Amino acid sequence: MTDLNSTDRLRRNALGVAAVTFFVVSAAAPLTAVAGGFPIAMLLGNGVGVPLAVLVVTAILLIFSVGYTTMARHISNAGSFYAFTARGLGGVAGGAAAYVAVLAYNAMQIGLYGLFGAVAAGTFASFGLELPWWVWSGIALVLVAIFGYRQIDLSAKVLAVLVAAEYIVVLIMDLAIVGKGGAAGISTVSFTPEAFMSGSPVIGMLLCFAGFMGFEATTIYSEEARDPHRTVPRATYLSVLVIGIFYAFTTWCMVLGTGPDKLMETLGGLPDPTTFIFVLSDQYVGGTITTLMSLLLVSSVFAALLAFHNAAARYFYVMGREGLLPAHLGRTHDEHQSPHTGSVLQTILGIVVLAIFVITNQDPVLALFVWLTNLATLCVIALMAIVSFAVIVFFHRHPALESSVFSTKLAPLVAGVVLAIIAYSVVTHFGLLTGASEALAIALPLLVPAAAIVGAIVANQLKQAGGTRFADLGAHQKN
């Protein structure tokens, strides 16, 4: 168990259950998923069966959360996946997990700059303000850098307002669709096995899974949470349930909006399936709500950018603190107690990658966003599978900590096996999921084992150096 000088500690007791939940829910970017992810899941996946696919994914994540939150009661560390892996499977495995996690959160955050730029450029052009997508991405980068540098509860307050507005505007549309009986009456066909198995259920499941990315970040804020033993588990379950129920209800309403029989025809007839939600909004609640929704889509992506920036900065901080990256990354700001050096590094990485995509004239959505965020999704699913097995080993070594066989063995085993299968499915379907060339569809997933190898080598060097640093990798941090 380790403790740090106050000058190198994250800000203690800054976040309650609601604040941590807002970070996680905003990382999942609910309006972004509803506008961009789920119409594509319907079109390429299992169509009217997507609402049931969402519930299946929710159930899988709840099973994973059992072991995850049980371990979180005993390990409070902003390293999250890395810390759990290190304490369960050893320091070398922990180092590998740390580097994969850094790849995941940076790829997700930087990829979102492409989506933000495209969405903002299109939205504000309708108001007569036409600027290239990369200008809007640059503006977002500066704002995120400012919030990420400062104290964590400032970001939480911003996210609370943005996320609440997202949910309200979508629920207004949902209730209007249900209230008017949809296009062909209320139907529950979306929740039947036949609907779930239609089309390509594997693709539908994988794209639904991407809509939950970020929910696992509750443990990243454990060092800054009030009473983390209770805050983190509650925020984790609450996040999964809020996101899952919202997605299932909204996708069901989207199906009702056109009628189950005409859903695929309607989506196929749109020049861009991501406009589907705005078509439904125009039809059921009118232009004012649609305009507000388009503006909130911009803020939705911004909220996700801020949430993933905070997660990436904290991983840099932990890895610097524990010897897996240069030590200066493990220091916090004297006033804000934020991981300001990690925040600056994450900003610099964003600038570099954005510049590469701009100079090479890549599409902000089809390239920058799709390639990097699907890579991040693969990383996170693989890490969740590894952590599930780490939970089993950890409690096998420390049986006195928990008595529940379900929480420490059965649920983690089921989650680990299922998530490993899902990770394999992402790899085998990566080209279809991303639209990348055959070479990129092979090269991008290979970055995951490459990052793991680098992390394992760095951790092994710590081991060879002697001392206590290797043994302390992922150790519990006093709150």
Side-chain angles (χ1 to χ4, degrees):
M1 186 178 292
T2 62
D3 196 8
L4 299 174
N5 294 328
S6 60
T7 54
D8 285 331
R9 289 163 58 106
L10 294 169
R11 192 163 185 242
R12 269 25 182 189
N13 301 313
L15 304 173
V17 174
V20 174
T21 303
F22 275 123
F23 270 110
V24 171
V25 173
S26 57
L31 184 53
T32 303
V34 168
F38 288 117
I40 297 173
M42 293 172 179
L43 190 62
L44 300 181
N46 49 345
V48 298
V50 163
L52 181 55
V54 170
L55 292 179
V56 172
V57 171
T58 302
I60 293 171
L61 296 181
L62 286 172
I63 294 171
F64 165 77
S65 297
V66 172
Y68 190 58
T69 57
T70 301
M71 193 162 181
R73 287 198 289 268
H74 303 282
I75 303 294
S76 178
N77 187 303
S80 184
F81 286 147
Y82 142 72
F84 290 4
T85 303
R87 303 321 292 176
L89 302 180
V92 173
Y99 273 72
V100 173
V102 162
L103 173 63
Y105 290 116
N106 280 281
M108 181 65 78
Q109 205 270 351
I110 296 170
L112 283 167
Y113 279 123
L115 181 62
F116 181 88
V119 169
T123 299
F124 292 111
S126 64
F127 294 101
L129 184 56
E130 297 191 20
L131 293 171
W133 71 266
W134 52 267
V135 173
W136 294 109
S137 297
I139 292 171
L141 189 146
V142 171
L143 291 174
V144 167
I146 292 170
F147 282 116
Y149 191 89
R150 292 176 60 82
Q151 59 198 46
I152 187 69
D153 48 354
L154 176 61
S155 293
K157 291 171 184 175
V158 172
L159 292 178
V161 175
L162 298 180
V163 172
E166 285 182 57
Y167 275 92
I168 290 170
V169 73
V170 174
L171 287 172
I172 289 173
M173 184 198 72
D174 290 345
L175 294 175
I177 292 173
V178 173
K180 295 178 181 178
I186 302 298
S187 169
T188 58
V189 67
S190 289
F191 301 102
T192 62
E194 293 78 14
F196 178 79
M197 295 305 297
S198 65
S200 178
V202 173
I203 296 298
M205 283 273 292
L206 293 179
L207 289 169
C208 287
F209 209 103
F212 286 82
M213 285 302 96
F215 95 93
E216 77 292 338
T218 48
T219 54
I220 290 177
Y221 302 104
S222 61
E223 294 182 38
E224 298 156 279
R226 302 187 200 104
D227 190 11
H229 294 132
R230 300 177 65 184
T231 297
V232 170
R234 288 180 179 181
T236 302
Y237 286 117
L238 182 60
S239 299
V240 174
L241 289 171
V242 167
I243 295 169
I245 293 171
F246 174 76
Y247 283 164
F249 180 64
T250 298
T251 52
W252 176 60
C253 290
M254 292 164 71
V255 172
L256 295 181
T258 61
D261 294 337
K262 294 186 178 179
L263 176 68
M264 300 304 286
E265 177 186 341
T266 301
L267 284 170
L270 294 173
D272 179 359
T274 62
T275 62
F276 181 46
I277 191 76
F278 302 111
V279 171
L280 291 176
S281 179
D282 270 337
Q283 180 180 349
Y284 285 94
V285 293
T288 301
I289 293 294
T290 304
T291 301
L292 180 59
M293 191 179 290
S294 66
L295 291 172
L296 286 172
L297 179 57
V298 176
S299 72
S300 174
V301 185
F302 179 81
L305 278 168
L306 183 55
F308 280 111
H309 174 88
N310 280 317
R314 276 151 185 78
Y315 259 99
F316 282 136
Y317 162 75
V318 169
M319 292 171 70
R321 177 181 72 189
E322 305 194 6
L324 295 172
L325 282 175
H328 67 271
L329 287 169
R331 300 184 183 124
T332 57
H333 193 278
D334 291 341
E335 178 185 353
H336 305 306
Q337 290 183 275
S338 63
H340 63 299
T341 310
S343 176
V344 171
L345 176 57
Q346 208 287 321
T347 299
I348 292 171
L349 287 173
I351 292 170
V352 171
V353 176
L354 270 175
I356 292 172
F357 275 79
V358 172
I359 291 170
T360 57
N361 198 31
Q362 298 287 346
D363 187 279
V365 176
L366 299 180
L368 179 56
F369 171 68
V370 171
W371 295 350
L372 295 192
T373 56
N374 276 286
L375 170 61
T377 300
L378 172 59
C379 290
V380 171
I381 294 173
L383 285 168
M384 288 168 64
I386 292 168
V387 165
S388 295
F389 296 119
V391 170
I392 297 172
V393 176
F394 176 80
F395 286 110
H396 178 72
R397 291 175 178 168
H398 306 281
L401 294 178
E402 293 285 344
S403 60
S404 171
V405 174
F406 177 75
S407 299
T408 61
K409 291 183 175 63
L410 183 57
L413 178 61
V414 171
V417 171
V418 171
L419 289 164
I421 294 171
I422 293 172
Y424 174 78
S425 297
V426 173
V427 173
T428 56
H429 292 83
F430 202 80
L432 184 57
L433 287 168
T434 61
S437 65
E438 185 176 349
L440 269 177
I442 295 172
L444 286 172
L446 283 177
L447 290 175
V448 182
I453 290 169
V454 173
I457 291 172
V458 173
N460 190 60
Q461 288 175 338
L462 274 182
K463 182 178 182 181
Q464 299 302 321
T468 62
R469 300 205 76 178
F470 179 79
D472 287 341
L473 289 177
H476 175 73
Q477 303 295 310
K478 292 180 181 179
N479 192 274

